[in-house]
Amino acid sequence: MRVIATAAATALALVATASAGGSAGVPLGPVTHASHAQYIGYYDGHKDWFFATDTSSKAQAKAMHINYSKALASVKGAPRQFFIEGKQAKRQISVFGSEPGEDDYNPLWEEIIVTWKASATPVLLVKDDQIDALAKAGKLTERDAHIVFNAPIIKVG
């Protein structure tokens, strides 16, 4: 009888959790499924998928059809996300400075613009440490865009 009571209690708990949308009791409201644009960026040599939701740049918000948030501009200490401008290696995509599971990960990013020097031959950039080393060697430059970008990583690797 105790086994049946335990099984019934477990089933009831599962139904309650499912009714809450799997939100561990937090009343988030009804769940719907929608499609969103997904982007891909490198982190330590593998690809991560992310959503772009908000930015501290009005121009970027308009161009990407995402939310503008003036308050994001005051965020300091966000991990870096690198965007390569100008000449670049084939199949180059953005590069993250962190990802979920890392101590410094959060979905807010300080946008860094990377530009290859005219005398340099671009290589595929896949790690933040690689970018920093190439900048130190004088092959490329890093420039803070002074934009904070809300782009949660939704899938690692």
Side-chain angles (χ1 to χ4, degrees):
M1 195 58 128
R2 203 177 307 173
V3 171
I4 293 173
T6 301
T10 301
L12 184 58
L14 289 172
V15 168
T17 300
S19 296
S23 60
V26 177
L28 297 176
V31 175
T32 62
H33 297 279
S35 63
H36 297 278
Q38 295 181 33
Y39 301 90
I40 303 171
Y42 282 114
Y43 177 72
D44 281 357
H46 64 265
K47 294 177 181 176
D48 289 347
W49 283 255
F50 65 100
F51 287 148
T53 61
D54 310 272
T55 179
S56 64
S57 163
K58 284 183 182 180
Q60 188 177 57
K62 185 176 181 180
M64 294 184 71
H65 306 289
I66 61 176
N67 300 317
Y68 165 69
S69 172
K70 181 179 178 180
L72 282 179
S74 65
V75 171
K76 302 296 179 222
R80 301 173 299 167
Q81 186 175 7
F82 300 89
F83 296 91
I84 295 70
E85 283 189 346
K87 68 179 184 175
Q88 56 191 263
K90 289 182 181 179
R91 299 179 305 281
Q92 181 67 65
I93 53 180
S94 68
V95 178
F96 290 106
S98 186
E99 73 177 1
E102 298 291 328
D103 290 341
D104 64 341
Y105 171 76
N106 80 62
L108 302 179
W109 304 95
E110 183 67 32
E111 289 188 17
I112 305 298
I113 305 302
V114 174
T115 308
W116 285 96
K117 298 270 181 109
S119 59
T121 301
V123 298
L124 189 62
L125 301 171
V126 298
K127 298 181 180 186
D128 58 330
D129 295 337
Q130 174 195 21
I131 294 171
D132 290 341
L134 288 166
K136 188 174 181 178
K139 303 278 186 184
L140 52 79
T141 60
E142 298 178 26
R143 176 179 51 85
D144 188 340
H146 302 290
I147 296 172
V148 177
F149 188 46
N150 184 8
I153 292 175
I154 57 168
K155 182 182 173 195
V156 173

